[in-house]
Amino acid sequence: MSEPTGYVPPEVWTWDRESGGRFASINRPIAGPTHDKVLPVGKHPLQLYSLGTPNGQKVTILLEELLAAGYSGAEYDAWLINILEGDQFGSGFVDVNPNSKIPALVDRSGAEPVRVFESGAILVYLAEKFGAFLPTSGAARAEALSWLFWQVGSAPFLGGGFGHFYAYAPVKIEYAINRYAMEVKRQLDVLNRRLAEHEYIAGADYTIADMAIWPWYGGLLRGELYGEAATFLSTHEYEHVQRWTKQLAARTGVRRGRIVNRATGPLEEQLRERHDASDFETKTADKLAAQ
């Protein structure tokens, strides 16, 4: 692995846009909009503005699970936010999420619209709104929320740490890759030990904790994240996480939710926007290309 040499941090840091690598265009040291752009609004009370990354998939999986469970009020419009084109810096999106990160949700079912940003907050909001996939009290609720926030705190090590330095950084830094690979392996062991004793993350019941963790760690075990990372990290060793990953992948809500707002990967797994349940049958990228 090539190692950068001779770098000495300056007394005062300044932004060098050209040093940002593959994602230089989406990162900057200031907040706020770069341009005026009104967000579209569809026919359903729930308006989701997102991208089919692991964080985006968390919310669409929950919405599809709610619909599969019979909660018709969970119908939603999902609008694609292309972060590589700077959609997250449009004025309308910044009004919904001042942090300019996907996903962001607007609930228009009441007298006044309610904005919700940060994927974990959206999961809790929707679970409480519909009274599903989150225990209402006691130890069961505490367990589910603990694992949900475990994921929120752990994902930066997997994505922003390991994934960035292993797959995206313009140079391979052995120290950084080793540091974050060790942490991801430890996290996988945490999950493996937990799932050795419980069917789902929070215990006997399927909850938003599973929906939050699966797109990240299930995606890693399925070989969907960071190139050859599954081989590099020997993810086959985590047999109980493998069992759980396959179990959730078979669910209709997961199969549907994981492809919403996706703009990469196999064409049959890209539903760039979702406005009706029938879109899964008629508007995936492979079907649109065949028209």
Side-chain angles (χ1 to χ4, degrees), residues 106-157:
V106 178
D107 182 356
R108 296 179 174 273
S109 61
E112 296 291 335
V114 175
R115 76 173 188 184
V116 193
F117 58 93
E118 292 296 323
S119 58
I122 297 173
L123 293 181
V124 173
Y125 177 83
L126 291 173
E128 292 184 337
K129 178 181 177 72
F130 292 101
F133 301 115
L134 176 64
T136 58
S137 64
R141 179 180 175 85
E143 192 72 21
L145 289 176
S146 293
W147 284 106
L148 171 63
F149 286 100
W150 175 88
Q151 186 281 317
V152 172
S154 296
F157 289 94

Side-chain angles (χ1 to χ4, degrees), residues 56-152:
Q57 290 176 39
K58 297 179 196 177
V59 178
T60 48
I61 286 172
L62 173 55
L63 288 165
E64 292 297 332
E65 290 283 10
L66 287 165
L67 291 169
Y71 295 91
S72 59
E75 274 291 352
Y76 67 104
D77 292 279
W79 303 93
L80 180 69
I81 299 297
N82 192 326
I83 62 174
L84 293 178
E85 294 181 2
D87 291 350
Q88 72 276 30
F89 300 124
S91 57
F93 189 85
V94 174
D95 284 344
V96 179
N97 185 355
N99 196 39
S100 292
K101 303 290 184 182
I102 61 94
L105 177 77
V106 178
D107 182 356
R108 296 179 174 273
S109 61
E112 296 291 335
V114 175
R115 76 173 188 184
V116 193
F117 58 93
E118 292 296 323
S119 58
I122 297 173
L123 293 181
V124 173
Y125 177 83
L126 291 173
E128 292 184 337
K129 178 181 177 72
F130 292 101
F133 301 115
L134 176 64
T136 58
S137 64
R141 179 180 175 85
E143 192 72 21
L145 289 176
S146 293
W147 284 106
L148 171 63
F149 286 100
W150 175 88
Q151 186 281 317
V152 172

Side-chain angles (χ1 to χ4, degrees), residues 182-261:
M182 178 184 67
E183 178 62 18
V184 173
K185 296 276 286 183
R186 188 191 66 79
Q187 293 173 359
L188 287 169
D189 194 45
V190 169
L191 292 175
N192 203 56
R193 291 168 184 265
R194 176 66 180 174
L195 290 166
E197 299 178 351
H198 302 277
E199 182 175 6
Y200 297 108
I201 294 294
D205 296 324
Y206 178 55
T207 70
I208 57 173
D210 298 281
M211 300 175 205
I213 294 169
W214 188 88
W216 282 102
Y217 297 88
L220 179 65
L221 267 65
R222 284 161 57 90
E224 297 175 351
L225 298 181
Y226 314 127
E228 300 301 317
T231 300
F232 181 76
L233 295 169
S234 300
T235 60
H236 66 278
E237 297 174 348
Y238 304 97
E239 60 177 307
H240 304 293
V241 186
Q242 290 280 5
R243 182 270 305 165
W244 169 84
T245 294
K246 293 174 183 177
Q247 182 179 352
L248 267 61
R251 297 181 65 94
T252 299
V254 174
R255 291 201 312 269
R256 289 190 164 202
R258 65 176 288 273
I259 73 170
V260 176
N261 293 143

